[in-house]
């Protein structure tokens, strides 16, 4: 069906209306309908905003509206280019959703005035497609993640189409460059569709873009190579471009429909070649052609504010007036300031409007997970340290059943960069395969077109897909090596900021937490070496708003089960869980683990020798390896210096250490003092960089007595125990730390210190010869 | 010229030797030449290492050796796949470079025994191509950066060819996916060449790779679309593959030579389409075909150690023996254990050996920059606060002349993700264009085939290129928005780790520092909003080894000049400089700035009122905006509470705050106490997250008196001053902070505190109405 000229004319008018509103937001604080001649007093004091990308996005939005209405589509719009704010605000205003969520900004002249004024204005709204903008699940402040968000949104949403506008600047980022391969992970039978619209407007802030400056042939080959079929819509003549765009959209819609039909009829099992659109239009399209003799439309100069000084330069004021009037607002808005009925009818109705689609406010659709009882997966722990287990291997069985319990709801997925098996979550493959639409070969394992586990060797994709999945109201878990999660530091930042802002927007509903399980952690990278050792993601995370971030260091499998259960049920947080994958001693039976994790911090009286009396020393630990070394040190001290009263404290929830005023989980000073005392030396063995413990506790009464051991960037290919020795967090150092803090050490204590130093030398000699740890270290067990 | 069969046979033998050494490193601690039947006692206790990628890389290396020798090439080898250690160690050993840098490991049976034993052994060498391996500038612990390193290496090295093996796992990362576009930034006339060899061995740890599971047509289109001409070498029959590989290498070498000829003859100015090789060979090629009935060669099971238990499983021991003997070591090594002469002759000689190429030990080639006198670019500062200037704009003029002074040496470049102009380094474009080989259009500015400024909208590329440039002995600067530098957090980690390790390897020479200039910083992201606000890179950086990292917060332009001069002259550090770009008050004339920056921290007596007496309060500041607010607060206090004795301390070098035991720049406790006193309240206004100051100073005498203001994740679209108000670091809050710490505040003080609260309310009302800061804030100037 060819779109008729009348419809195209209406689309053009609608486009002009959106362009007019975009320019209005950037410039005007008054005279919103240009019913008076434009005066300096109508111009904002600070003119901010990004014009360049706006007309192209308005063009796309108007055409998608037509497509949605004609085909009754369930579609969301993801705006990749950084600063598309004016366009998306304009469009959601025109379709009515903006006024529905912000009744104060009505569809009339007064509403328009407010709409214009608030844009890029203190206390107003940002120049990006920010959380305040209805229909947005992607802010685009930092570039590169639109396409992975789009894919995340449509996984398990078979009727949803995510129209994803990819800026050609953004397309240069690494994350975006590999995101095109997401089509190898999309199942046309059970997932929705992503319609990428690569917007080649040719320029970034000051440079041309790479993709706009290669040949048509290369561009075509590139996207075919990525597995897409590109449809080109190129030009600058509006009438001609409307015809081309409408025709291209009809074609790609036919293709998508055909792909779905083939896959869902059950006939087709091969990965389809999905269609995409490459839209080449001038940057700042319909804006001033020249300003002060320099070309503006179609150049990098159109990126932000084309005319910078209309309030003080009468010639420029006139040019701005002509520009605004070129959209003929008097034809577009009725006398109340409302879009004319004929134009308003172009927009889809109700939830079909892209600004009102509930998928873009995922909390509306969020359903709690059906959770198996985590206690059923407990490791039997007779006495502490007796049993041995791999913490993540055990948790894998729990996660397997989380998958099973929610297989019908299809609202839970696990993401990881090819490390789900390496991280020992093996059991999940009993419940599901990896979703994989690439070719398959005979020896492949756990690959299927439909699967709950998503693995691509790109932390960016794992994170971006998961974010898109969560933002549209589902649940998930990202498992990764600890060191390399830094690859997504900046993506975490942006998501944490999104959570902070949306938590205080009334009409936004809370979404499921972003859960990280970091394994293959710093202390057990003895075989991969120094490059794989970095526990700093915790430090990065705790810089974000306390209301949003949670960090857990379960010391054993039962604790990890309890923590995992808690995190998967939680909402609107970022939860970081760090756990080991190698067989390790198990300390707590499940009832004890549950109590311990619920409290988040506690005295392990079974390991302590202070008989709930005033201790001589507090030995605190957080993390599985620090806990092991602490208990080994305690056992040495108990054997050789039984008179020393030791209190052992284990920390699961790191945020307990912070003051209550700093973090909602923080202990009160009184509670903290009860645990750590006001004046006793504290030897703290910590999983990460030691100074973080100081940063969390510097306000506490007893802080000056804290002596923290942790990872201090020492490591190489070595043994597990040697990793702790290199960083002086091993049992032999910890014992010395205690002795160093005894007021008047006995001769036994002095002798023990010497023995500890000897043990360290023996250790060094032994591993140099044998390449493994001494038997007394390897075979050490806690004796109750 | 077709490579004759005899040469191919020799290459095959050389390849077998390298494969043999690779397997030997993984398994053997004795019997290195298999002169005895293989026994359990010959097997290592811990069997670690990655076999999968090794035979393919050995194959490539052997063929490149032939190519180098025949064409007298200047070539380095970059090993992208993660764990190619065994292969590169084997090859540099065979060619003799390994024994040259490690004389203890000679080219004989004893040397072989040591070579085998040290691999993945405590105190030995890692399983990656680590800094210990001669010829390496790329470790490959974290994946994705090989190709950008290769491009960085060949910029301004017209005779150098970087053969870059890209793993198909690595190829899924974002950084690598966009790195293919680096060919739009390579000038064939003045730069060298990169020869990418995409190694499709089909599998990652547990998954197939995306690129190995798309059609040949898509693969071909993809790389043509990226602008390359792919040459396919595919198969598993060694003899056939040797013929194909030799022929392909001859072809690509002809093409590279032709491209250089065309460009350097001056005839050709268009971007060439460079050749690349796609090598599809089985993972674990030549390894066991089946183990326990499961296919191994050519599957993901060959990733690490194919036979895991030869010491305890006699059948497996026999299979390992057969595998080792399949390379016929008796034909390859003479009776002393040395490679036979005929084979040894295949390797290039002297510096032509890829392990000995000086470009891979860049410090050998490093020449100091010719530096203009930074004092010549000083802003005239009569009295403090009188002049106004943009700090980065001023520094741009200095950098412009650094470019000019070194234009003949061609050893300095500036990198940035399309932000060099936005960060106001405008003047650099007077000295150079951006290097750009894409198409050009009429309105473009500052683009040329030859330029010193590299801009692609990918922080990963900027960082990767710069690292490659530095590692090969040149100098550079990365300028970026502060918030988005987190995109390369993990790349910084890996580079800092590389610097730490190489600093203690005798034969490695120091390289130039990695210099970051972070502008468009958190406090002036009032117009871009919350997504652009993140000062946490400092926190990330200071977790790395103190010997390596430096952080500078110059308060004005003259200080930035002094700091920049220092950083560009320094070696083997990571220097982070953070500076503003907007016009701001200038505090110090150049002589004072130079002294202040050399000390790194100091009392500003011109701003202080304590007359070098004991102060009532210390007001410390670090960063341009905190300095401004501190001085504004001081001026209010001076006017209203002249009796209070204030000491103003400004911190340029953040590491001065740390203890001398923690950082080489750290002040001694005595020096620190002299500045901050032992008992006076300290109000510290800091650029970043406030808790970092606590983490740096918690050991100091007066730490309990520190009250730190900084960014605490509050911000949106607003005004510059409002950013400080939202985070309570503004002058009105700082004055209150001081009053709160006066022991018995006078009624004037109490009244002033009330006034400050009123000012904050006035501020809120004013910006809501006017969208800009109150005149008394905007127009405030320091009065001497």
């Amino acid at each position: 069906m060819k779109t008729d000229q009348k419809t195209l004319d209406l689309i053009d008018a609608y486009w002009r209306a959106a362009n007019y509103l975009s320019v209005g937001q950037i410039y005007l604080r008054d005279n919103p309908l240009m019913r008076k001649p434009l005066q300096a007093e109508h111009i904002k004091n600070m003119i901010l905003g990004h014009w360049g990308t706006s007309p192209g996005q308005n063009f796309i939005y108007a055409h998608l509206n037509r497509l949605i209405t004609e085909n009754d589509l369930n579609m969301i719009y993801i705006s990749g280019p950084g600063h598309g704010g004016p366009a998306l605000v304009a469009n959601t205003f025109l379709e009515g959703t903006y006024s529905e969520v912000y009744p104060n900004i009505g569809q009339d002249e007064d509403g328009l005035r407010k709409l214009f004024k608030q844009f890029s204005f203190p206390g107003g709204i940002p120049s990006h497609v920010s959380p305040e903008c209805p229909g947005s699940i992607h802010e685009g402040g930092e570039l590169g993640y639109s396409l992975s968000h789009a894919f995340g949104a449509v996984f398990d949403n078979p009727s949803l189409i995510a129209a994803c506008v990819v800026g050609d600047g953004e397309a240069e980022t690494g994350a975006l460059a590999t995101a095109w391969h997401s089509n190898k992970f999309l199942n046309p039978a059970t997932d929705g569709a992503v319609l990428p619209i690569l917007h080649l407007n040719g320029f970034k802030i000051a440079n041309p873009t790479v993709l706009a400056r290669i040949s048509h042939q290369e561009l075509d080959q590139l996207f075919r190579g990525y597995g897409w079929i590109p449809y080109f819509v190129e030009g600058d003549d509006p009438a001609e471009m409307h015809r081309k765009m409408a025709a291209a959209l009809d074609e790609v819609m036919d293709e998508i429909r055909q792909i779905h039909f083939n896959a869902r009829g059950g006939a087709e099992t091969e990965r389809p070649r999905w269609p995409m659109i490459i839209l080449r239009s001038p940057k700042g399209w319909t804006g001033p052609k020249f300003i002060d003799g320099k070309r503006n439309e179609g150049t990098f100069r159109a990126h932000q504010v084309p005319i910078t000084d209309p309030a003080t330069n009468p010639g420029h004021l006139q040019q701005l007036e002509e520009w605004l009037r070129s959209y003929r607002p008097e034809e577009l808005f009725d006398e109340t300031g409302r879009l004319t009925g004929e134009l308003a009818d172009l927009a889809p109705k109700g939830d079909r409007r892209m600004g009102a689609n509930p998928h873009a406010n995922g909390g509306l659709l969020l359903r709690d997970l059906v959770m198996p009882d985590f206690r059923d997966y407990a490791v039997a722990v007779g006495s502490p340290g007796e049993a041995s287990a791999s913490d993540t291997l055990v948790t894998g069985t729990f996660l397997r059943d989380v998958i099973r319990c929610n297989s019908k709801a299809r609202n839970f997925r696990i993401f990881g960069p090819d490390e789900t098996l390496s991280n020992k979550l093996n059991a999940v493959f009993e419940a599901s395969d990896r979703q994989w639409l690439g070719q398959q070969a005979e020896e492949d394992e756990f690959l299927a077109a439909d699967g709950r586990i998503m693995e691509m060797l790109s932390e960016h994709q794992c994170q971006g897909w998961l974010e898109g999945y969560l933002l549209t109201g589902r649940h998930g878990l990202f498992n990764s090596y600890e060191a390399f999660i830094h690859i997504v530091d900046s993506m975490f930042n942006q998501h944490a900021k999104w959570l902070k802002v949306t938590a205080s927007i009334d009409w936004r509903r809370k979404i499921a937490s972003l859960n990280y399980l970091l394994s293959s952690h710093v202390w057990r990278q003895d075989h991969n070496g120094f490059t794989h050792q970095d526990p700093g993601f915790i430090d990065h995370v705790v810089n974000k708003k306390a209301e949003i971030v949670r960090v857990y260091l379960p010391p054993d499998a039962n604790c990890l089960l309890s923590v995992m259960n808690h995190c998967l049920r939680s909402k609107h947080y970022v939860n970081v869980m760090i756990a080991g994958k190698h067989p390790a001693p198990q300390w707590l039976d499940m009832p004890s683990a549950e109590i311990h994790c619920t409290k988040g911090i506690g005295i392990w009286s079974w390991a302590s020798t202070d008989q709930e009396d005033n201790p001589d020393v507090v030995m605190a630990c957080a993390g599985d390896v620090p806990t092991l070394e602490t208990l080994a040190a305690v056992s040495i001290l108990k054997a050789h210096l039984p008179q020393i009263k030791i209190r052992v404290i284990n920390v699961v929830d790191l945020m307990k250490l912070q003051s209550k005023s700093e973090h909602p989980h923080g202990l009160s000073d009184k509670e903290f003092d009860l645990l750590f005392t006001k004046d006793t030396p504290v030897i703290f063995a910590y999983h990460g960089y030691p100074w973080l413990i100081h940063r969390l506790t510097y306000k506490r009464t007893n802080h000056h007595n804290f002596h923290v051991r942790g990872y201090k960037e020492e490591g190489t290919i070595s043994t597990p125990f040697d990793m702790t020795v290199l960083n002086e967090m091993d049992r032999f150092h910890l014992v010395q730390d205690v002795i160093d803090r005894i007021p008047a050490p006995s001769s036994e204590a002095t002798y023990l210190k010497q023995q500890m130093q000897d043990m360290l030398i023996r250790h060094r000699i032994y591993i140099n010869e044998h390449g493994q740890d001494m038997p007394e270290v390897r075979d050490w067990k806690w004796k109750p």
Side-chain angles (χ1 to χ4, degrees), chain A:
Chain A
M1 186 194 65
K2 220 175 122 225
T3 308
D4 60 36
Q5 190 58 46
K6 177 156 189 300
T7 306
L8 291 176
D9 290 345
L10 284 171
I11 292 174
D12 184 68
Y14 199 96
W15 180 44
R16 282 189 281 122
N19 286 341
Y20 176 81
L21 295 189
S22 302
V23 186
Q25 288 176 77
I26 293 172
Y27 284 103
L28 300 183
R29 60 171 164 163
D30 204 350
N31 194 15
L33 286 164
M34 294 291 284
R35 289 194 171 146
K36 291 176 271 189
L38 190 63
Q39 305 288 340
E41 71 206 40
H42 303 146
I43 308 295
K44 295 182 176 188
N45 285 329
M46 301 263 286
I47 306 174
L48 292 171
H50 290 74
W51 165 245
T53 180
S54 298
Q57 294 209 58
N58 288 332
F59 180 84
I60 294 165
Y61 205 102
H63 278 270
L64 292 175
N65 277 345
R66 196 266 309 166
L67 198 71
I68 292 167
T69 308
E70 280 186 13
N71 300 279
D72 190 29
L73 300 179
N74 176 15
M75 182 177 272
I76 59 171
Y77 182 103
I78 291 178
S79 172
H83 299 263
L88 275 288
V89 170
N91 275 290
T92 52
F93 179 81
L94 289 176
E95 71 190 21
T97 46
Y98 208 89
S99 302
E100 282 168 26
V101 298
Y102 302 112
N104 187 42
I105 296 177
Q107 290 188 294
D108 50 31
E109 184 165 3
D110 180 57
L112 273 178
R113 188 180 294 110
K114 289 177 181 157
L115 186 81
F116 288 0
K117 188 185 162 186
Q118 67 162 5
F119 176 79
S120 273
F121 194 87
I125 58 167
S127 61
H128 315 129
V129 188
S130 65
E132 289 88 350
C133 183
S136 171
I137 60 164
H138 171 87
E139 180 149 18
E142 182 174 301
L143 302 178
Y145 317 126
S146 60
L147 200 51
S148 18
H149 284 166
F151 275 90
V154 305
F155 289 140
D156 295 320
N157 269 330
S159 78
L160 185 64
I161 301 176
C164 181
V165 182
V166 177
D168 50 353
E170 177 190 17
E172 293 177 19
T173 64
L176 207 297
T178 198
W180 297 107
H181 287 300
S182 302
N183 53 16
K184 282 90 189 177
F185 300 86
L186 187 79
N187 182 353
T190 54
D191 300 325
V194 172
L195 172 59
I197 300 167
L198 176 65
H199 189 199
L200 290 183
N201 73 21
F203 297 93
K204 297 168 283 192
I205 303 178
N207 274 288
T209 61
V210 168
L211 293 184
R213 297 300 180 86
I214 61 178
S215 69
H216 185 282
Q217 188 198 21
E218 281 187 353
L219 196 60
D220 187 65
Q221 283 172 328
L222 182 63
F223 287 99
R224 287 180 190 277
Y226 272 127
W228 299 87
I229 299 176
Y231 287 80
F232 286 83
V233 176
E234 301 178 287
D236 56 11
D237 175 63
E240 180 66 22
M241 288 290 279
H242 286 306
R243 275 193 295 278
K244 287 183 185 168
M245 187 69 175
L249 283 174
D250 287 337
E251 279 189 90
V252 301
M253 200 51 234
D254 284 348
E255 289 225 28
I256 290 171
R257 215 180 271 114
Q258 189 63 47
I259 288 169
H260 281 162
F261 178 82
N262 294 348
R264 294 169 190 184
E268 188 57 60
T269 57
E270 280 205 5
R271 168 173 64 89
R273 307 191 104 205
W274 294 91
M276 67 176 286
I277 286 175
I278 297 181
L279 171 65
R280 193 190 294 265
S281 67
K283 186 148 188 163
W285 197 11
T286 73
K289 301 255 185 269
F290 288 87
I291 297 170
D292 296 334
K294 285 195 169 168
R295 186 176 286 283
N296 195 283
E297 185 199 39
T299 77
F300 65 89
R301 296 188 195 95
H303 181 69
Q304 293 196 19
V305 174
I307 299 169
T308 54
D309 58 352
T312 54
N313 181 323
H316 285 173
L317 185 69
Q318 193 190 334
Q319 194 173 13
L320 175 60
E321 174 154 17
E322 285 162 13
W323 177 14
L324 280 159
R325 294 203 188 281
S326 74
Y327 300 117
R328 307 195 297 279
E330 65 283 2
E331 298 175 9
L332 310 171
F333 300 93
D334 67 19
E335 59 192 29
T336 68
R338 195 184 179 87
L339 195 66
T340 64
E342 200 179 29
L343 292 183
D345 284 347
L346 275 187
K349 299 292 166 269
D351 283 358
R352 289 311 201 202
R353 294 171 299 177
M354 291 190 283
N357 192 308
H359 293 287
N361 184 5
L364 288 173
L365 304 174
L366 183 65
R367 292 172 49 186
D368 287 346
L369 285 173
V370 178
M371 295 288 283
D373 189 337
F374 66 97
R375 300 168 195 88
D376 296 345
Y377 306 86
V379 177
V381 177
S383 71
E386 185 195 78
S388 172
S390 151
D391 300 352
T392 53
L393 196 73
V394 171
T395 298
T397 62
F398 175 56
L399 292 171
R400 172 196 64 208
D401 292 349
V402 175
I403 292 177
R404 285 181 177 151
C405 290
N406 299 282
S407 63
K408 255 178 107 173
R410 299 186 68 89
N411 60 349
F412 177 70
R413 286 186 186 242
I414 294 176
F415 301 78
D418 188 35
E419 291 161 3
T420 306
L421 273 174
S422 175
N423 287 330
K424 300 283 185 216
L425 300 177
N426 306 26
V428 299
F429 292 105
E430 297 167 23
S432 174
D433 291 310
R434 304 183 190 100
Q435 185 156 312
W436 173 265
L437 279 289
Q439 297 165 354
Q440 295 198 29
E442 205 180 322
E443 293 292 322
D444 292 340
E445 284 183 350
F446 313 134
L447 300 182
D450 185 17
R452 300 282 96 203
I453 297 142
M454 312 296 298
E455 295 205 280
M456 180 174 175
L457 207 168
S458 165
E459 285 78 2
H460 289 112
Q461 291 327 297
C462 295
Q463 173 91 13
W465 290 344
L466 174 54
E467 287 178 1
Y469 200 66
L470 299 173
L471 287 160
T472 48
R474 281 80 63 77
H475 305 262
L477 174 71
F478 183 171
N479 82 95
S480 171
Y481 278 28
E482 183 185 32
F484 302 140
I485 198 67
H486 276 299
I487 291 171
V488 295
D489 273 4
S490 59
M491 295 183 78
F492 155 79
N493 277 351
Q494 297 300 325
H495 190 73
K497 283 174 179 275
W498 178 278
L499 291 179
K500 184 213 164 198
V501 174
T502 52
S504 57
I505 297 176
D506 290 344
W507 56 269
R508 290 257 180 207
R509 293 289 173 274
K510 287 193 172 183
I511 61 171
S513 298
L514 171 52
N515 298 307
Y516 293 100
L517 174 59
L518 306 183
S519 191
S520 308
H521 64 54
V522 54
W523 298 106
R524 295 308 305 269
Q525 288 297 346
D526 44 287
H527 61 300
N528 279 320
F530 194 44
T531 58
H532 284 53
Q533 298 163 1
D534 192 301
F537 190 63
I538 307 173
D539 303 63
H540 182 69
V541 163
V542 297
N543 273 342
K544 289 289 165 289
K545 270 290 165 192
E547 292 74 33
I548 302 300
V549 297
R550 307 284 182 266
V551 179
Y552 299 98
L553 293 155
D556 68 7
N558 289 340
C559 289
L560 177 58
L561 282 168
S562 172
V563 166
M564 180 66 74
N565 174 68
H566 173 76
C567 292
L568 290 179
R569 290 169 185 271
S570 73
K571 293 207 178 100
H572 229 68
Y573 298 143
V574 177
N575 296 308
V576 181
M577 294 167 266
I578 300 173
K581 67 180 183 182
H582 294 285
Q586 300 296 308
W587 309 111
L588 303 185
D589 60 23
M590 186 49 93
S592 311
E594 195 175 352
I595 292 168
H596 184 51
C597 294
T598 304
K599 285 160 61 189
I601 185 170
I603 297 172
W604 280 4
S605 49
W606 54 266
S608 304
T609 59
D610 65 336
Q611 312 295 340
E612 289 159 39
D613 194 6
N614 286 342
D616 298 315
V617 63
V618 174
M619 299 194 70
C621 47
D624 60 345
V625 169
T627 300
L628 171 63
E629 289 309 310
T630 295
L631 291 174
V634 169
S635 69
I636 295 170
L637 287 162
K638 270 169 70 177
H640 294 86
L641 301 174
Q643 68 279 22
I644 296 186
K645 288 181 289 177
I646 304 169
R647 173 179 295 175
V648 176
I649 294 179
N650 184 268
V651 185
V652 177
D653 175 352
L654 202 61
M655 299 299 101
K656 289 283 168 191
L657 298 177
Q658 245 183 333
S659 301
K660 219 176 176 60
S661 61
E662 305 274 321
H663 195 285
H665 285 194
L667 295 177
S668 70
D669 282 340
K670 202 172 158 186
E671 292 168 318
F672 193 91
D673 291 349
L674 280 172
L675 287 174
F676 290 95
T677 80
K678 292 186 174 181
D679 50 9
T680 310
V682 178
I683 312 295
F684 200 127
Y686 168 56
H687 173 84
Y689 294 108
W691 30 84
L692 182 67
I693 299 301
H694 291 294
R695 168 237 201 272
L696 295 174
T697 60
Y698 70 85
K699 288 188 178 172
R700 302 297 193 174
T701 319
N702 195 29
H703 172 253
H704 62 284
N705 267 320
F706 270 56
H707 179 68
V708 187
R709 295 294 190 177
Y711 182 70
K712 43 184 195 177
E713 286 289 308
E714 293 295 339
T716 177
I717 294 283
S718 193
T719 64
F721 180 67
D722 193 44
M723 279 298 303
T724 67
V725 174
L726 291 171
N727 292 284
E728 305 183 337
M729 197 192 70
D730 61 281
R731 56 199 71 177
F732 306 130
H733 274 98
L734 293 178
V735 168
Q736 294 184 65
D737 285 341
V738 170
I739 294 170
D740 287 344
R741 277 154 192 82
I742 298 173
S746 61
S747 58
E748 289 94 333
T750 310
Y751 179 68
L752 181 60
K753 185 170 172 183
Q754 184 61 53
Q755 274 187 296
M756 295 297 99
Q757 289 165 0
D758 291 351
M759 288 303 286
L760 288 166
I761 295 167
R762 274 200 56 200
H763 155 75
R764 181 68 47 219
I765 292 169
Y766 190 92
I767 65 163
N768 283 350
E769 193 172 331
H770 300 276
Q772 55 186 1
D773 289 320
M774 303 184 288
E776 57 263 58
V777 167
R778 265 185 292 140
D779 303 339
W780 175 84
K781 278 204 159 204
W782 174 260
K783 286 193 200 79

